[in-house]
Amino acid sequence: MSQKAGPRPSRDFKNVATTQEEEDAYDFLKHRTHVKLTSVFGSVAHIVKGALGGGILSGHVAYMKAGVGVAVPLNVIFGAYMAYCLHLLVWSSQVLYKRTRIPSMSYSDVGEAAMMCSRFPTLKKVARFFRYTIDGIICLDLFGSCCCYLIIISKQLKQLVEDTHASSFEGSFPGYPGLRVYMGCMIPLIVVICMIRHLKYLAPFSIGANIVIVFCIMLAVYYAFDYNPAFENMTLATTAYNTFEFI
């Protein structure tokens, strides 16, 4: 029997816990009675997919633009920075769960709660604005990503069907449909997937995407060693513009 979604937490976030002992005494996991929890494996799949994304498939092109000597250190730095930000976000949300006695929050809830529980009155006044800013940035990013990925997927399908590397808006050969047809066929499927609200049910899609990404990375590495086993003619650094393009 499926669980019903619980009521949304109140936006009147208050610091209920006054001492560290009161914070530690609250177990937010035991109070999550109406939340569809995601398994550890599914959560890791979401993190990996979110961190890598489809852009990893063009990583070899990015390395070529920036140069190996620049791209590798930047990749390590940004990877560590992203891991630290994720750790900080999870740690902060768990602290807010204990302080506000709210066992579950959305991304924007965490942002607003952090401002409301601040000791500075000025930050409390802009908490609601901060929440809407987070929602706006997320919507802008996700809607933009969906639009871009729709074009990318349709373009790849078109090239696969036509068996050509050429990129054109219309059909490359007589009788072949244009890019609009492929986009029209993909829109219903993408809309249905986007209507899934719970990460628990999106985990299989993330796992499948990660498998495809790993397979493509293995192919890219294989062909890299096959075509250039001695790592010859590799540029260490290029221009500042290419470096920013890599970033």
Side-chain angles (χ1 to χ4, degrees), residues 138 141 180-181:
I138 292 177
D141 175 67
R180 291 191 186 94
V181 177

Side-chain angles (χ1 to χ4, degrees), residues 2 20 23-24 28 35 41 45 47 53 83 94 96 99 113 137 151 163 174 179 181-182 193 224 232 236 245:
S2 60
Q20 187 64 41
E23 285 189 23
D24 297 336
F28 56 88
V35 179
F41 186 73
I47 293 175
Q94 291 179 351
L96 290 171
R99 291 183 179 180
I137 293 175
I151 298 175
D163 192 19
L179 187 62
V181 177
Y182 292 94
I193 295 176
E232 298 176 348
L236 293 179
E245 192 173 4

Side-chain angles (χ1 to χ4, degrees), residues 11 106-108 130-140:
R11 290 186 178 180
S106 66
Y107 198 87
S108 54
F130 188 63
R131 175 193 184 90
Y132 293 147
T133 301
I134 293 175
D135 287 334
I137 293 175
I138 292 177
C139 289
L140 181 64

Side-chain angles (χ1 to χ4, degrees), residues 99-119:
R99 291 183 179 180
T100 60
R101 294 296 192 267
I102 298 177
S104 177
M105 296 184 189
S106 66
Y107 198 87
S108 54
D109 286 336
V110 173
E112 183 179 3
M115 305 289 276
M116 290 296 295
C117 294
S118 173
R119 67 182 67 180

Side-chain angles (χ1 to χ4, degrees), residues 12 19 90 95 108 170:
D12 187 18
T19 62
V90 174
V95 171
S108 54
E170 302 296 336

Side-chain angles (χ1 to χ4, degrees), residues 10-232:
S10 173
R11 290 186 178 180
D12 187 18
F13 299 103
K14 295 181 180 179
N15 194 352
V16 178
T18 57
T19 62
Q20 187 64 41
E21 289 75 13
E22 292 182 359
E23 285 189 23
D24 297 336
Y26 181 77
D27 189 355
F28 56 88
L29 294 177
K30 292 183 178 180
H31 291 79
R32 289 181 174 177
T33 57
H34 299 287
V35 179
K36 295 181 175 62
L37 299 178
T38 307
S39 64
V40 176
F41 186 73
S43 299
V44 172
H46 286 310
I47 293 175
V48 173
K49 183 186 66 64
L52 296 180
I56 191 65
L57 301 179
S58 60
H60 58 288
V61 179
Y63 270 57
M64 180 183 65
K65 286 183 174 293
V68 179
V70 175
V72 172
L74 287 179
N75 201 353
V76 174
I77 292 173
F78 287 133
Y81 173 74
M82 179 179 294
Y84 173 74
C85 290
L86 290 174
H87 167 74
L88 188 62
L89 175 63
V90 174
W91 176 79
S92 300
S93 62
Q94 291 179 351
V95 171
L96 290 171
Y97 296 156
K98 297 178 180 180
R99 291 183 179 180
T100 60
R101 294 296 192 267
I102 298 177
S104 177
M105 296 184 189
S106 66
Y107 198 87
S108 54
D109 286 336
V110 173
E112 183 179 3
M115 305 289 276
M116 290 296 295
C117 294
S118 173
R119 67 182 67 180
F120 302 104
T122 305
L123 295 180
K124 295 182 179 180
K125 294 179 181 179
V126 297
R128 187 63 58 86
F129 173 77
F130 188 63
R131 175 193 184 90
Y132 293 147
T133 301
I134 293 175
D135 287 334
I137 293 175
I138 292 177
C139 289
L140 181 64
D141 175 67
L142 295 183
F143 281 124
S145 299
C146 288
C147 294
C148 294
Y149 281 124
L150 175 62
I151 298 175
I152 293 173
I153 295 172
S154 302
K155 178 182 174 182
Q156 297 299 321
L157 287 176
K158 182 175 179 294
Q159 292 176 339
L160 180 64
V161 172
E162 296 176 351
D163 192 19
T164 178
H165 295 287
S167 177
S168 60
F169 195 77
E170 302 296 336
S172 300
F173 306 101
Y176 283 83
L179 187 62
R180 291 191 186 94
V181 177
Y182 292 94
M183 293 176 63
C185 294
M186 292 300 302
I187 285 177
L189 178 61
I190 294 178
V191 169
V192 170
I193 295 176
C194 291
M195 292 179 66
I196 302 176
R197 300 178 58 187
H198 298 285
L199 293 177
K200 177 180 180 180
Y201 304 131
L202 286 172
F205 295 96
S206 295
I207 295 172
N210 290 333
I211 293 175
V212 174
I213 289 175
V214 171
F215 176 73
C216 293
I217 292 176
M218 292 174 61
L219 284 180
V221 173
Y222 169 78
Y223 283 112
F225 280 96
D226 184 53
Y227 284 102
N228 191 11
F231 298 98
E232 298 176 348

